[in-house]
């Protein structure tokens, strides 16, 4: 007698860019075998960003999948004034307005390069973004490889950040909106937020990555403000280079999982009259070291 064991065969197809791979042969609405999960984690460690196309996921499916990687983290404090059901594990990223109220965060504008929630002491290790509705064009999401950014950092800049931390501004989101409960601090040396090493070690791969978070109001404690500004500008110029990036053009049913420990991301603006609706989870991480 032969037992028929149905296996999902995981295929990882790298994008050919600086990071990212498509994972094929996996239906994330089904429970995953340990073998499948292990294969996905391997591919993730190697490719930093994974895309699963053609999915049909409920929020429960999205949360179950995300929990394979760790405990879920709360969604960030919203910029918009209405957070109907308080804090939640699923963050709605959307420009859609219903009955005069935005249903989600980040609007239709550009979101500049950033790492999610890096302004907290233990930032999420990963985010998973699932698209329900997307515009015809615009709203692409760029991802950039911070291992490569560090590898290619000019020696002088590398020396400049050795042993230094950066203060990550908690007051504004990646679309530049002030979060509820925060006041604007125009002088970056007064920034409120967590301090993290500029060079961090990935706890799984052991590799070192440049860790910048976001540019606005960032500050390198111990440096005069002007020096901190100049060093950060140079680091950001370098880290924003297109050859470190790969862009995701969304289709409905795409789930993209990225590693906040070694990846930054940004989003292009899109037509505010178009609808874009995505659901995001964030997975708890450790204190960067
Ligand atoms: C996010 C984010 C980008 C996008 O959800 O953290 O930055 O494409 N979103 O909406
Ligand atoms: Mn983000």
């Amino acid at each position: 007698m032969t037992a028929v064991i149905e296996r999902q065969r995981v295929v990882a197809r790298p994008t050919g860019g600086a990071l990212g791979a498509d994972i094929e042969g996996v239906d994330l609405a089904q429970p995953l075998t340990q073998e499948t999960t292990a294969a996905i984690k391997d591919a993730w460690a190697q490719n930093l960003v994974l895309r699963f196309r053609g999915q049909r996921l409920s929020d429960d499916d999205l949360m179950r999948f995300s929990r394979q990687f760790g405990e879920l983290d709360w969604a960030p404090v919203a910029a918009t004034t209405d957070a109907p059901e308080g804090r939640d594990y699923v963050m709605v990223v959307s420009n859609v307005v219903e009955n005069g109220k935005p249903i989600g965060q980040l609007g239709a504008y550009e979101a500049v390069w950033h790492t999610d929630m890096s302004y907290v002491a233990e930032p999420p290790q990963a985010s998973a973004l699932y698209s329900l509705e997307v515009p015809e064009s615009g709203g692409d999401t760029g991802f950039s490889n911070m291992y490569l950014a560090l590898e290619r950092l000019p020696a002088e800049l590398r020396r400049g950040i050795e042993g230094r931390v950066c203060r990550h501004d908690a007051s504004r989101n990646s679309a530049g909106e002030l979060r509820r409960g925060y006041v604007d601090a125009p002088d970056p040396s007064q920034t409120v937020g967590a301090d993290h090493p500029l060079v961090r070690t990935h706890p799984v791969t052991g590799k070192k990555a440049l860790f910048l978070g976001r540019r606005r109001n960032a500050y390198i404690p111990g440096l005069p403000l002007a020096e901190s500004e100049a060093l950060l500008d140079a680091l950001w110029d370098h880290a924003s280079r297109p050859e470190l990036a790969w862009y995701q053009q969304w289709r409905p049913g795409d789930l993209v999982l990225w590693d906040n420990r070694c990846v930054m991301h940004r989003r292009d603006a899109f037509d505010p009259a178009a609808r874009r609706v995505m659901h995001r989870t964030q997975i708890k991480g450790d204190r960067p070291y």
Side-chain angles (χ1 to χ4, degrees), residues 208-224:
K208 288 186 190 308
L210 186 62
F211 191 51
L212 294 177
R214 57 196 68 201
R215 177 65 187 91
R216 184 195 282 264
N217 284 347
Y219 177 61
I220 303 178
L223 291 186

Side-chain angles (χ1 to χ4, degrees), residues 206-278:
K207 295 204 297 186
K208 288 186 190 308
L210 186 62
F211 191 51
L212 294 177
R214 57 196 68 201
R215 177 65 187 91
R216 184 195 282 264
N217 284 347
Y219 177 61
I220 303 178
L223 291 186
L225 180 57
E227 264 180 56
S228 165
E229 290 287 296
L231 182 50
L232 286 169
D233 283 344
L235 290 169
W236 278 93
D237 267 0
H238 172 79
S240 312
R241 285 156 58 166
E243 65 267 29
L244 302 176
W246 164 78
Y247 276 78
Q248 147 72 343
Q249 292 182 317
W250 293 92
R251 298 180 194 158
D254 284 353
L255 178 115
V256 174
L257 174 76
W258 66 84
D259 189 330
N260 281 309
R261 299 165 293 195
C262 54
V263 173
M264 292 207 295
H265 58 283
R266 64 171 295 282
R267 184 192 71 193
D268 290 337
F270 58 96
D271 176 3
R275 288 174 63 91
R276 189 175 187 270
V277 182
M278 340 265 281

Side-chain angles (χ1 to χ4, degrees), residues 128-139:
L129 189 60
Y130 173 65
S131 62
L132 294 145
E133 291 180 64
V134 294
E136 288 277 301
S137 66

